[in-house]
Amino acid sequence: MNKKQTLEKLQKKMLACKKCQLRNSCHQVVPGAGSAVAKIMFIGEGPGAKEDELGKPFVGASGKFLDEMLAIIKLKRGDIYIANIVKCRPPSNRDPLPEEKEICWNWLEQQIKIIRPKLIVTLGRHSMESFLPGQKISECHGKALRREIPNLGKQVFFTLYHPAAALYNGSMREILIKDFKKIPKVLELVEKK
Ligand code: URA
C-alpha cells in the first residue's frame, strides 16, 4: 500500500472511533485532509461547528484565513496535510480535556508516521503544548524547534498563533502573517539537513 492508501485506511478507522465521550456530542469525526505526501503538516486544536458539520478541518472563518496565508506562500490545501489534536468537536467549543487529547493522540501519531512531514506547524497553544510541553507560545511563535518525540523520533516544529486568535485582532494578525511567511525558508533549511 502507498501512503495515500494507508492514510485512507487509517481515516476510515478514525471515522468509526468511539473511544471517548466527544463522539457522543459531535455530528461527525474530522480525521484530517490533504496530501499523504505533504512536506508540511498543520496541526490545529479540534474541529469547530463548521468542521463538525462538513467533516473537514479548518473550513470555517479560521480556515478562510488559513487559506489566505497559504496563498501568500503559494501553497494550496492539496500541497499540505491538516489535522487536529482531537478529531471530534468538543461541546460548545470548550477546550479538549487531557483524557480526550490522550485518547486521540494515537490517531495523530499514526497520521504523522504515515505522512512523515519535514515540518509540523502547530496552530495555537493547545497544539503546541501537545508536542512542546513547557513552551510559551508568546516566546516561541515564529520559531523552528527540533525535538525528539516518543514514538515519532526527531521532528522539526514551527509554532504559530491560532488563526482564530488573529481574526479580530489586528496586531495578532500581523504577527501571524509575518510568522507564516517564514515557513518556506524554514522548510528549505530543514530539507538541506
Ligand atoms: N480550529 C481548529 O483548531 N481546528 C479546526 O479544524 C478548525 C478550527
Side-chain angles (χ1 to χ4, degrees), residues 42-110:
F42 286 81
I43 304 183
E45 301 178 353
K50 200 76 188 164
E51 291 75 24
D52 185 44
E53 184 192 327
L54 300 178
K56 296 212 167 68
F58 282 95
V59 285
S62 331
K64 234 180 118 202
F65 183 31
L66 182 62
D67 285 340
E68 282 170 36
M69 291 189 287
L70 285 170
I72 294 175
I73 60 166
K74 304 202 161 42
L75 286 178
K76 294 186 294 297
R77 291 271 178 142
D79 301 321
I80 59 164
Y81 192 86
I82 309 182
N84 278 306
I85 297 291
V86 293
K87 316 301 189 200
C88 292
R89 182 192 183 203
S92 319
N93 291 348
R94 67 155 167 75
D95 289 347
L97 302 174
E99 60 265 32
E100 292 160 354
K101 291 196 266 190
E102 200 181 313
I103 290 169
C104 218
W105 182 252
N106 181 260
W107 293 125
L108 187 57
E109 239 176 41
Q110 292 188 68

Side-chain angles (χ1 to χ4, degrees), residues 18-60:
K18 291 192 177 79
K19 287 185 195 154
C20 87
Q21 59 188 359
L22 289 182
R23 188 65 191 92
N24 299 331
S25 54
C26 74
H27 288 102
Q28 55 183 323
V29 182
V30 183
S35 166
V37 293
K39 289 180 182 175
I40 311 175
M41 192 165 168
F42 286 81
I43 304 183
E45 301 178 353
K50 200 76 188 164
E51 291 75 24
D52 185 44
E53 184 192 327
L54 300 178
K56 296 212 167 68
F58 282 95
V59 285

